[in-house]
Every structure is written in C-alpha cells, then in structure tokens.
Amino acid sequence: MKRQIINICIGAIFILSSGLSAVPSMAQDKEKSPLKVSISYYTSDNKLPYLIVNAKAKKDGKFQPVAGAEIKLYLDKDSTGKGIGLIGKVVTSEKGRAGTDIPPSLEKIWKSNSSHTFVAVTDKTKDYDETSTDITVAKSRIIIDTADDKNVVATVSEFKGNDWVPVKGVEVKLGIKRLCGDLQIGEEQSYTTDSLGKVKGEFKKTGIPGNKNGDIVLVAKVEDNDTYGSIRIEKTAPWGKRFLADNDFFTRALWGSQFHSPFWLVFMAYSIVIGVWGTIIYLIFLILKIKKLGKQEEMLK
Amino acid sequence: MENSTSKVIDKNAIIAPLHGNGTKKKGALTDEEIISDLLPRKFGPLGMIWVGILLCFCAVGVFAYILQLKNGLIVTGMRDYASWGIYISNFVFFVAISLVGSLITAVLRLTGVHWATPLTRIAEIIAVSAITFAAIIIIVDMGRPERFYNLFLFGRLQSPIIWDVTVITTYFFISLLLLYIPLLPDMKILLATKEKTAFFKLYKFLGSFWKGTHLQFRISKKAINILCIAIVPVAFSIHTVTSWLFATTYRPGWDSTNFGPYFISGAFLVGSGAVTVAMYIFRKYYNLKNYITYDHFDKMGKIVVMLGLLYLYFNVNEYLIPAFKMKKPEEGFLDSLFVGDFAPLFWSAILGGMIIPIIVLLFKKGRHPFPMFICGIMIVVGAWFKRYLIVTPTLLHPFLPMHNVPESYKHYFPSWQEWAIACGSLAGALLIVTIFARIFPIIPIQETLIEQHEKANH
C-alpha cells in the first residue's frame, strides 16, 4: 500500500513537472518575434545624405523582410537615448526597405556637429514589440580626380572642427559605372587610403564602350564603413570607346517596319504575286472570251 | 441516297460537239445512260438526314462562336502558353486537305493520267470547300476579328502571316477557276435537260454562253492547262508557307528545315484519303459503280501507299533525328510525344493514320472499295490529330520553364465551344461538298462522254 502511494506521488510529480516545463515553451510560442531594424547612411556626390532602413524578423527559422513596418527616424538623441530631431516616418516596402532624405528643417542640428547619431524607433504592434536602434556617422567626403596617364585618384576626408582632414586606412573602391553596377577599373578590388587620405588606381579597361563622345563615368566609393557609412562620387572621363547607336531598325531589313522590307523581298514577293495574279486575270479574260464566242454563236443562230 | 429523276435529254444539243461518231461498243453505256446517271439528283431521305445533321453541327458551331465573340477567347481552353489550339490544328488540316485539288486535277492531268477524270471534280470541290473553311477558321482564332483589316493596313511583307493570307486567297481563286472552267461544258448538258430544275437560273447564269464550239473547247482546254500548271506551285506555296508559320518560330519541335516537304507530303496523303472516302460515298449512294470502278480504287490505293510512305519518311526525319540528339530543350517535348501525355494520341496517329493504312493498301484486296474507305477515314482522322500534335505539344514545352503561372496555363484541353466550332467548320466543309453534288454533276459528264467515245473509236 505504502509502495503504491509512493508510486502515485512520483507519477503525480512527474506529470506536474512535465506540465510546468511545458508552460514556458507554450508561452514562448506566443511571444512576439523581435523586429530587427538596421540603418544605412549614404552620401552621393558629397551632397545631402540620405538614410535607408531595413526591417526584418525571424520567420520559419530565418530572417525575412517585414513589409509595412512604420519606423520613425530621428537625428541625434538626448542623454536618455530618445531621438531629438524627427527626420520623418517611413513605411517599409515588400522588401522591408524604406528611405528618406534629411529635411531642410534639421539643417541647424546637422551643421552643429561633425558627427551625428541616427535613431530608428518602432512602436509596439500586435506582431512586434517596440524597438530602437541607432548608428553614429562622422561627416565625410570623397573627391575623385583623374590624371592624363589614366590614373584615378580618390581622396577621403573627415570634417573635424571647421576643416576637412584627410583620413588614413579607409577602404575605397574605384570603378566604372555601368548599367547594372560598377565595374572595377583595374585588377584591385579595393584600395586603402594613405596618410594623405588618397588612393590611386590605374585605369585598365581600355576599349570599354562609352557614350557617343566616348565618355564614361568613373566612380569612387566607400561602402558600409563603420565611421563614415557609404559615400560615393562620380566623375566623367573621356576614356571610353565612342559608341554609335545601331540604327538598323529604320533600315530595310527582315526585322524592319512595314515600309522597310528588304528590296530583294519586295522584288521577289511582288514578282510572284504579279505573276500569279496576272495569270488569274488572263484566265478571267479567257472566260470572257468564251462568253463572247457563245454570244456570237447565239446571234448567228 | 437520292431519288433518280427522269429527264428527257436533248441528245443532239450535247453530242454534236463531241469527238468521234457516237458509235457504241457492246456492253458500253449509251450517252443518254451516262448523262442520266451523272446528272445531279434530289436528296433522298438519307440525304436529307445527312444535310440535317450537318446543319445542326453548323448551327451549334455558330452558337458557340457567338458566345466566343461575346465573351472573348477566355471561353476557349487557350491561355498564355497554348495560344494555338484546335482552331489552328483545324486550319492546318483544311489547308492540307485542300492540296488534293492540285494533285488529282493538275499533277495527274499534266502527267497524262486519264483514269483520274471521274475524280477531278470530287477533288476540286473538296479543295474549294477546305480552303474556304481554312480562311474562316483563322478568323475564328482571332480574339478581335473586327480588327482583321489591320492585317492589310499594317501588315509587314516580312511576316509569314502576310504570305499565308496572300497564298490562301490566291489558291482559293485558282481552285475556284479549276472547278468552274471544266464545269462549263456540263452546264450546257444541265441546261439541255427539258425539265427545268430549281437551279435552272443558276446554270443559265453560270454557263448559258457555252455553246460547245470548237473554239470554245480550244480556249477552255488552254485555260485548264494554264490552271494546271499555275496551281502546282501555288499549292506547294500555300502549304509550305503554312509550315513556315511554325518553322520560322524558334521552338522545340518547330525549329526544323524539314517542315515544308513534311507538310506537303502529309497534305497530299490526307487529301488522297479524303478523296478515297468521297469516292466510296458517291459511288455507293449515287450509284456510280460504272464510273468509279474497282480500278479507280486500286490505282488510288497505290497512290495513297506511295504518299503514305513518303509522309512516313518525313516523319522519321522529323522525330528520329531530334530524338537521337535529344537536346535538353527538346527532351520534354519529345518525351511528351513518345511516352508522355500525348503518347496515346501520337502513336494512334502514326499507326492508324499511316502505318496500318499503308500495310492494308499494299494488298490487292485492301484496295477494294470498302477497305479503302476505312483506310481513308483512318488517314483523315489520323491527319487531324497529327496537326493537333504538331501545334499544341510544342506550345506547352517552351524553352524557358513555366514558373509562377496558374495551373491552367500548363495544360491545354479544348473547351466545348472550341469543339463545337471545330466540328461546325468540318460539317460546313462537308455541307459545301454535299450541296455542290446536289446542284452540279460530281463526275464531269462531258469529259466522261468524250472518253467513252474515244474508247469506242479505238
């Protein structure tokens, strides 16, 4: 009897402990998946920067873009970590992306410091908890220059105090702007700035098609740098091959439009049509001749 | 099938211009008998039922087409991939069958073959009716037929579609002339019948001017010779151009230089098959045993065997070589034909439409009227499905895989509207032949009389 009671107690403890251990896991199932927001900072041609935010969340064991997430973006934050200047509210696309410029109303705050913090805040929703993330970026610029010996020189500087100071050790990519991306100018994928903030790359893509004047667009860019974000500059150089547009569409060809058939085809087609339809017309003439003979015969009778 | 009508024939009006002296060999038919046998007759009960059935099919087809016009091509089974279905198969079939006019009338006449005289008009009316419905069915395939005129306003000479429209129109007129000019002497015979038929005014309009003078005969003979020469290249063009509608398109199964002769040989085969079927029916139900004889069947059977072997040869070329190479993009298409979804249809068409008729017709007994009739039907039905197999499987096997498309895009099965229209068009073509045989002699009377007299003189 005693043994039976002990067994029942052990069983009850086992069931209870199993049940209790299941509760957190059940609770975990109902937990909201955290929304992961990242901010990227871009500057193109040393003009006003813009921001791109990406929102993603874990679903089925992997991160997937979150569409329709409302994100508030601030310029700089106070000591409590709260954003100060509202840049704007953006809503992510199907790819989980959204972007915005820094509005002119924040010019004063922008000019007040050489580095800034950008804060992205999302409110609590039925799917996600509130989140806040930020990045700090130093004001920087990149200058591109070309030399007669087909070398590309880029200089990266940082705004410190009231002046631009060259920055050493920044990875810079030198390329040529093409339709679907940038093509590197030589064999090196990237170059690192020296103490003068400069990199130099030799242009080796001779014979690359440019526009009708032979102009191509050279690019110098810093990508996803922890301190400076992504900065990019472009410069046109007459180092490409002149590209003459193919105007075959308006010449006489098989793919030409209605009145641009090749002469040989026009000649052949119309010769055949005229030949055959000429025969048909001649045959109709013969029928008319038979008819005429018949009428003459009738008149004779 | 028909009630024979007794007609009093004005013999002098007909026999006078004939060659020879009109003497008669023992056992041969008299001129009156020939004329009486070959004159068109009223439909009997069977004929009325036949016409009624055909009219019903046509009416259902017209109703289905009205629905298609009202709702658009969505009522069909055609979608983005299978954009050509049984309408285009039907079109190719009609164009193919129409070529028989040039074979029986022109090729055999030019090569000095005289035994085919009783078959020329059958072949020609099949050609005219088929080409008429080929033109109609291509308009049926258009989603917006009211825009057809744009083809002429904006058509490009470089496009095979323009070539096709041109040759179809040309072939239609040439076939019509080849039907009409040899009919002129028979008009005189029709008009000479004492009893004025319901079609007397039509005969008068079409051929009252034919007096049968030697000069008229000479001009008519010249015109027929010119037509026979002209129709051969036009007939070859019409089906070659039809094949080019496919062959100029870069797709598995169509990308072939073999397509022109492959289509023409198939066309001659199906046309001959159709003539064989028509020969049997006219012989049996119009009681033409004295005119369409066992000898005609025997000779037509040999022609069908020759054409069957020729078409088989092109089929071997068409499928064996791509199957030997088995290029990746062609693999799916060939698999679907040989062992896949289309395999039962494909092998039925090859066996039933070619191999079995060839084997049967190799034997003398196989070339008797009834086996010939059965073989003819097998060839015609097999040929229709063969055209379907040329058109559809290719469209369902594009070079780029079908991704992110509705399931219905990946398959094709004709809707009832398509079947109704296709059957209606086939019935329409048969109706033309039937009505023609009701109005005009289906075997040339004048030519038969001349041949009879020539035989008597020899």
Side-chain angles (χ1 to χ4, degrees):
Chain A
M1 183 68 182
K2 195 180 177 183
R3 192 174 178 81
Q4 273 182 335
I5 291 166
I6 291 166
N7 283 344
I8 289 166
C9 286
I10 290 169
I13 289 163
F14 176 75
I15 291 164
L16 265 174
S17 62
S18 307
L20 286 172
S21 65
V23 170
S25 69
M26 283 163 74
Q28 209 171 21
D29 286 345
K30 285 180 184 175
E31 252 181 26
K32 291 177 179 177
S33 170
L35 184 67
K36 192 172 163 61
V37 177
S38 61
I39 309 168
S40 304
Y41 169 91
Y42 292 91
T43 309
S44 189
D45 291 333
N46 301 320
K47 289 176 186 164
L48 204 63
Y50 61 96
L51 302 172
I52 299 282
V53 284
N54 277 287
K56 52 189 177 182
K58 224 170 191 179
K59 195 179 175 186
D60 301 329
K62 59 181 179 182
F63 278 108
Q64 295 197 10
V66 175
E70 289 185 359
I71 303 169
K72 285 178 198 158
L73 288 162
Y74 295 93
L75 179 61
D76 292 339
K77 59 182 178 181
D78 60 18
S79 55
T80 62
K82 201 175 171 187
I84 300 171
L86 180 66
I87 296 171
K89 191 165 84 174
V90 292
V91 179
T92 54
S93 67
E94 278 184 5
K95 290 180 180 175
R97 297 187 79 188
T100 182
D101 294 325
I102 297 170
S105 57
L106 299 177
E107 189 183 359
K108 202 174 173 185
I109 305 175
W110 176 252
K111 284 184 174 173
S112 67
N113 216 332
S114 59
S115 75
H116 292 280
T117 301
F118 296 96
V119 186
V121 178
T122 61
D123 292 334
K124 188 177 181 178
T125 64
K126 66 181 171 76
D127 294 320
Y128 306 105
D129 285 329
E130 71 269 18
T131 59
S132 178
T133 185
D134 61 68
I135 57 161
T136 301
V137 178
K139 280 185 191 173
S140 61
R141 73 174 187 188
I142 185 166
I143 293 168
I144 188 168
D145 203 1
T146 52
D148 288 341
D149 54 354
K150 289 198 175 176
N151 281 315
V152 182
V153 179
T155 311
V156 181
S157 315
E158 184 183 344
F159 193 70
K160 271 188 180 167
N162 286 323
D163 209 0
W164 291 100
V165 180
V167 191
K168 186 185 173 187
V170 179
E171 201 175 303
V172 177
K173 287 182 177 174
L174 300 174
I176 310 155
K177 190 178 179 183
R178 308 306 289 169
L179 190 65
C180 300
D182 299 328
L183 183 72
Q184 60 195 48
I185 61 162
E187 282 152 17
E188 298 288 327
Q189 276 200 340
S190 63
Y191 305 82
T192 308
T193 53
D194 57 15
S195 56
L196 298 171
K198 286 185 188 297
V199 293
K200 186 178 179 182
E202 190 185 349
F203 179 84
K204 290 184 176 174
K205 295 281 190 292
T206 49
I208 195 163
N211 63 11
K212 62 181 178 181
N213 298 321
D215 292 338
I216 54 164
V217 177
L218 296 168
V219 176
K221 60 186 177 183
V222 174
E223 285 181 332
D224 287 332
N225 187 282
D226 292 341
T227 314
Y228 308 112
S230 297
I231 53 175
R232 173 187 175 98
I233 192 156
E234 295 176 0
K235 182 182 171 68
T236 303
W239 293 350
K241 197 176 160 186
R242 287 181 67 187
F243 176 74
L244 297 171
D246 188 358
N247 286 325
D248 278 358
F249 189 75
F250 296 106
T251 60
R252 288 189 175 273
L254 280 175
W255 54 89
S257 55
Q258 190 186 12
F259 299 110
H260 291 93
S261 310
F263 278 121
W264 61 265
L265 183 65
V266 173
F267 176 75
M268 275 181 63
Y270 285 117
S271 301
I272 293 168
V273 169
I274 291 166
V276 176
W277 277 91
T279 310
I280 292 173
I281 291 164
Y282 177 64
L283 288 164
I284 292 167
F285 166 74
L286 288 181
I287 292 171
L288 293 174
K289 206 171 166 184
I290 292 171
K291 198 172 179 177
K292 197 178 165 187
L293 284 168
K295 280 184 180 169
Q296 281 174 356
E297 183 76 14
E298 207 169 80
M299 283 168 74
L300 285 173
K301 280 181 181 176
Chain B
M1 190 176 177
E2 279 72 32
N3 295 330
S4 64
T5 51
S6 59
K7 296 181 179 75
V8 183
I9 312 296
D10 180 3
K11 189 184 169 188
N12 291 332
I14 302 154
I15 310 301
L18 298 179
H19 305 282
N21 55 16
T23 53
K24 176 177 176 289
K25 272 186 180 177
K26 194 181 174 185
L29 293 162
T30 63
D31 293 339
E32 288 84 354
E33 282 170 336
I34 292 171
I35 293 166
S36 173
D37 286 346
L38 299 182
L39 279 176
R41 298 161 210 178
K42 283 182 182 171
F43 290 130
L46 266 176
M48 298 293 267
I49 292 168
W50 170 245
V51 172
I53 291 168
L54 293 179
L55 283 171
C56 285
F57 271 104
C58 291
V60 175
V62 170
F63 174 68
Y65 185 56
I66 290 167
L67 287 180
Q68 185 180 300
L69 279 178
K70 196 176 155 192
N71 302 315
L73 283 173
I74 193 70
V75 301
T76 70
M78 291 185 281
R79 293 294 181 266
D80 283 33
Y81 286 96
S83 53
W84 284 356
I86 57 169
Y87 294 156
I88 297 296
S89 315
N90 223 14
F91 163 72
V92 180
F93 173 78
F94 277 131
V95 173
I97 217 163
S98 74
L99 253 67
V100 74
S102 69
L103 173 75
I104 302 289
T105 313
V107 176
L108 295 185
R109 190 188 283 262
L110 288 173
T111 49
V113 174
H114 295 294
W115 61 263
T117 305
L119 314 181
T120 51
R121 198 159 290 157
I122 296 175
E124 269 312 311
I125 188 59
I126 289 174
V128 170
S129 62
I131 203 69
T132 306
F133 274 90
I136 291 171
I137 205 76
I138 205 78
I139 295 170
V140 167
D141 190 58
M142 297 174 76
R144 299 290 300 269
E146 77 278 11
R147 294 182 179 177
F148 184 59
Y149 67 93
N150 285 323
L151 192 71
F152 300 99
L153 290 182
F154 306 108
R156 293 164 63 250
L157 201 57
Q158 301 95 311
S159 164
I161 289 174
I162 285 288
W163 310 343
D164 214 32
V165 170
T166 311
V167 287
I168 284 175
T169 314
T170 309
Y171 188 70
F172 172 76
F173 280 104
I174 291 189
S175 296
L176 213 56
L177 286 173
L178 199 52
L179 183 70
Y180 176 62
I181 296 175
L183 197 63
L184 283 173
D186 287 356
M187 292 291 185
K188 188 181 177 188
I189 298 169
L190 291 167
L191 286 167
T193 54
K194 295 293 180 188
E195 186 189 1
K196 287 195 178 180
T197 64
F199 306 108
F200 192 79
K201 278 185 182 173
L202 180 70
Y203 301 147
K204 208 171 170 185
F205 173 73
L206 290 173
S208 64
F209 55 85
W210 181 267
K211 302 297 170 194
T213 64
H214 289 290
L215 201 55
Q216 279 186 323
F217 264 109
R218 212 173 68 193
I219 296 170
S220 151
K221 196 178 173 187
K222 183 182 172 186
I224 291 169
N225 282 339
I226 293 171
L227 271 170
C228 287
I229 294 165
I231 202 169
V232 175
V234 175
F236 271 64
S237 302
I238 184 176
H239 217 40
T240 306
V241 167
T242 304
S243 81
W244 287 351
L245 291 178
F246 302 93
T248 50
T249 313
Y250 184 48
R251 280 174 178 276
W254 291 354
D255 183 29
S256 163
T257 53
N258 189 36
F259 253 43
Y262 169 55
F263 268 51
I264 287 173
S265 60
F268 280 150
L269 176 65
V270 61
S272 305
V275 166
T276 314
V277 173
M279 277 165 69
Y280 179 82
I281 291 169
F282 284 123
R283 181 179 191 266
K284 188 173 168 71
Y285 294 104
Y286 280 66
N287 199 20
L288 300 173
K289 288 183 179 126
N290 291 324
Y291 307 92
I292 303 173
T293 61
Y294 270 54
D295 191 44
H296 288 108
F297 280 96
D298 187 66
K299 283 171 176 155
M300 269 308 287
K302 286 173 184 168
I303 287 181
V304 171
V305 170
M306 184 197 74
L307 293 170
L309 287 169
L310 190 68
Y311 190 43
L312 196 63
Y313 165 74
F314 281 113
N315 270 274
V316 170
N317 273 277
E318 192 53 38
Y319 295 112
L320 183 70
I321 300 306
F324 187 84
K325 291 185 280 189
M326 210 45 122
K327 285 186 278 186
K328 201 70 192 166
E330 302 246 355
E331 192 182 350
F333 162 71
L334 290 169
D335 276 351
S336 75
L337 284 184
F338 295 159
V339 288
D341 294 347
F342 294 101
L345 209 56
F346 176 76
W347 292 114
S348 302
I350 296 285
L351 287 169
M354 271 177 269
I355 294 172
I356 294 172
I358 290 170
I359 293 169
V360 171
L361 299 178
L362 278 174
F363 299 95
K364 194 166 177 63
K365 279 191 178 174
R367 296 194 294 274
H368 284 187
F370 188 68
M372 280 281 288
F373 170 66
I374 298 295
C375 287
I377 287 179
M378 285 170 74
I379 289 168
V380 173
V381 174
W384 193 92
F385 283 105
K386 188 74 176 60
R387 269 72 195 162
Y388 176 74
L389 290 166
I390 289 171
V391 175
T392 305
T394 286
L395 292 170
L396 292 173
H397 292 89
F399 280 121
L400 294 176
M402 292 189 249
H403 282 318
N404 299 323
V405 292
E407 193 58 27
S408 63
Y409 286 25
K410 296 179 183 174
H411 309 283
Y412 170 72
F413 192 80
S415 65
W416 77 261
Q417 286 93 338
E418 284 175 276
W419 283 118
I421 292 169
C423 292
S425 66
L426 292 166
L430 290 173
L431 198 62
I432 290 181
V433 178
T434 308
I435 290 171
F436 180 86
R438 167 67 191 88
I439 303 172
F440 300 106
I442 198 67
I443 290 180
I445 303 175
Q446 181 79 29
E447 285 184 68
T448 310
L449 288 170
I450 292 171
E451 279 187 5
Q452 200 75 11
H453 282 251
E454 281 174 354
K455 274 183 199 169
N457 291 334
H458 284 115

